[in-house]
Amino acid sequence: MKNHLKFLVPALFCLAFTTIAYYPIDGYTRTGIKRLLRVELIKNGVIKEPNTLPPGAMKSYMDISLNLTAKKNDSTNSFFKVNDNFQSEINGLFRGLDKSYSIAVLDISDPENLRFAKRNETAGYQPGSVGKIAVLVALFTQLANIYPDSFEKRLELLRTKSVKAGQWGMTDSHTIPIFNIETNKLLKRQVIPSDVFSLFEWTDHMLSVSNNGAASIVWREAMLMAAFGKDYPNLTQEQADSYFATTPRKELTDLGNSVVNLPLRKLGITTDEWRLGSFFTKGANNYVGDKGGSIGSPIGIMKFLIKLEQGNVVDEKSSVEMKRLMYMTDRRIRYAQSPALKEAAVYFKSGSLYQCNKTSGEPCGKYMGNISNFMNSVAIIEHPNNCTYMVVLMTNVLRKNSATDHMTLATNIDKIVKKG
């Protein structure tokens, strides 16, 4: 891609994100995430606003569990045996389309009779915001290193450790929700350097509204955890600032890269299947350089989903908590917007990146890049009738907003899976 880009000037490059929200709405006491309290107050009628949550978004955090723990010791490759009939039906959805569409689908409704289908599953795409899942894994990996024998202490650190944004949070045009629990007032604005939130709230901002600044801050804190180890819980802002001011840039770049990528390698995901090579904000790039580029593939991210459902991402309790952080409890977009999924619990991350050459004369706009136009959907779907499956859909369809394609494919995939 870079070989083509150097000839296209001027060009518009944009990483695009859309507001959605995660974590079960009864999770405020557990996490301290204030946004959740507001949603619960709306649900209970205390705040007089319409409750627009679909039925599938109403699970309690205690209802969320893992689906493949009985296969905890099975190799990831054992899940990738293609079911011929299932494959034939999935192929039918893409008939006449080029290789701009890649997918991996795994039906785990019956763990003893798995069904897998794929299409261009090893193709590499710019993962966009899907890369924030790797930051999530990095965070929980480092929490386990600090408190290997106590998951409760890890949760307590997430709740009680508050950190300042600084320049790392600069800049992102997308807002974060700031809920005042005393006045019940909600403010939405961009992250500013003086913002202070708990680790849990920064993580929620990273996932719930896909805020770039929050992602860089969580990644930064994972680096500090790796650097300071068991001293991290008592680390002051001054000590953290001094560390980044005095440590050589190459050393910081190497640490930042290893913190997010080595946990993926431990899961059996290769560097060509999924890697994260750069922070999400320019402010972070003042301290840490890019290394290796970012890439994602359906097969690599599907490996993560399998490991998550097995309880093998860090450990079982961490896997459940990460799954809770991916649970959608607000407006659904793209793949997750399919009407067929209203009753289903959806654990989701979407990511997009588009690039425009304004001098080419070709149509181009938001989510409609004419150089590249990546849109990615990662989803675990759990219907009330125990129909459960996982999907990684990655596309690069030029000059077209692929959100409708993703939603339509979601509807049709759901029909195929339910048919059995």
Side-chain angles (χ1 to χ4, degrees), residues 242-374:
S242 176
Y243 171 74
F244 286 112
T246 59
T247 304
R249 181 178 175 85
K250 182 181 185 306
E251 186 176 329
L252 292 175
T253 299
D254 289 343
L255 177 62
N257 193 270
S258 64
V259 158
V260 292
N261 288 304
L262 290 184
L264 301 181
R265 306 301 156 256
K266 189 175 180 180
L267 296 175
I269 301 169
T270 70
T271 187
D272 290 330
E273 290 175 336
W274 191 14
R275 65 179 182 267
L276 194 55
S278 60
F279 272 73
F280 293 87
T281 52
K282 291 182 179 178
N285 293 141
N286 292 329
Y287 305 91
V288 183
D290 298 347
K291 184 178 179 179
S294 297
I295 200 168
S297 67
I299 200 69
I301 299 169
M302 181 60 76
K303 285 183 178 181
F304 162 78
L305 294 179
I306 291 169
K307 292 289 188 181
L308 187 76
E309 290 289 5
Q310 288 177 308
N312 289 334
V313 182
V314 184
D315 53 43
E316 193 163 321
K317 288 184 177 179
S318 297
S319 295
V320 173
E321 198 64 26
M322 283 184 267
K323 188 174 177 182
R324 287 176 178 137
L325 283 159
M326 292 177 65
Y327 177 56
M328 296 191 73
T329 51
D330 207 331
R331 184 173 65 92
R332 295 180 173 183
I333 65 168
R334 298 174 181 167
Y335 192 99
Q337 194 176 1
S338 166
L341 306 181
K342 283 185 178 179
E343 302 290 330
V346 179
Y347 309 83
F348 183 72
K349 193 74 197 80
S350 182
S352 58
L353 182 146
Y354 63 90
Q355 299 172 60
C356 285
N357 176 16
K358 291 292 189 179
T359 67
S360 68
E362 296 178 317
C364 191
K366 191 174 183 180
Y367 307 117
M368 297 173 60
N370 58 13
I371 299 175
S372 63
N373 194 45
F374 297 106

Side-chain angles (χ1 to χ4, degrees), residues 33-241:
I33 298 171
K34 298 180 186 69
R35 175 189 64 80
L36 299 174
L37 179 60
R38 177 177 179 270
V39 181
E40 190 168 19
L41 291 174
I42 292 173
K43 177 190 172 187
N44 295 337
V46 177
I47 295 178
K48 304 301 181 182
E49 291 187 21
N51 180 10
T52 58
L53 294 179
M58 305 300 286
K59 276 193 173 189
S60 164
Y61 76 86
M62 292 299 294
D63 295 334
I64 293 175
S65 59
L66 305 176
N67 293 298
L68 294 173
T69 54
K71 290 183 167 291
K72 191 177 187 70
N73 297 320
D74 290 11
S75 71
T76 309
N77 287 336
S78 69
F79 291 84
F80 295 146
K81 297 175 182 176
V82 170
N83 179 290
D84 291 339
N85 290 335
F86 192 44
Q87 181 69 62
S88 178
E89 294 203 77
I90 294 298
N91 285 345
L93 300 179
F94 297 93
R95 192 167 291 117
L97 299 179
D98 62 21
K99 290 189 175 182
S100 299
Y101 297 79
S102 295
I103 195 168
V105 188
L106 181 63
D107 179 8
I108 59 173
S109 303
D110 179 359
E112 298 306 316
N113 293 284
L114 301 169
R115 295 191 299 162
F116 177 66
K118 61 186 181 178
R119 183 182 194 270
N120 304 325
E121 75 285 359
T122 62
Y125 291 75
Q126 222 298 338
S129 207
V130 169
K132 290 168 186 173
I133 297 175
V135 178
L136 181 67
V137 177
L139 173 66
F140 276 83
T141 298
Q142 294 305 321
L143 288 168
N145 289 341
I146 295 172
Y147 294 121
D149 301 320
S150 176
F151 187 75
E152 286 308 313
K153 286 185 178 180
R154 300 178 214 171
L155 287 182
E156 183 182 4
L157 186 62
L158 287 169
R159 281 193 302 266
T160 61
K161 178 74 170 179
S162 292
V163 297
K164 187 176 179 180
Q167 289 302 312
W168 296 75
M170 302 294 101
T171 58
D172 185 6
S173 62
H174 289 77
T175 62
I176 56 172
I178 303 173
F179 180 61
N180 188 317
I181 62 175
E182 295 179 356
T183 64
N184 285 350
K185 299 296 183 182
L186 178 70
L187 171 67
K188 292 184 178 182
R189 61 160 172 75
Q190 296 171 348
V191 170
I192 58 177
S194 60
D195 277 337
V196 176
F197 294 102
S198 71
L199 292 177
F200 241 139
E201 287 197 288
W202 280 123
T203 304
D204 183 63
H205 291 327
M206 174 178 76
L207 294 173
S208 70
V209 290
S210 207
N211 186 270
N212 292 349
S216 289
I217 292 159
V218 174
W219 191 345
R220 176 194 71 192
E221 295 305 306
M223 290 177 63
L224 289 170
M225 290 179 187
F228 287 89
K230 295 187 184 301
D231 292 330
Y232 171 82
N234 297 315
L235 189 70
T236 66
Q237 185 67 54
E238 291 74 19
Q239 288 172 319
D241 291 344

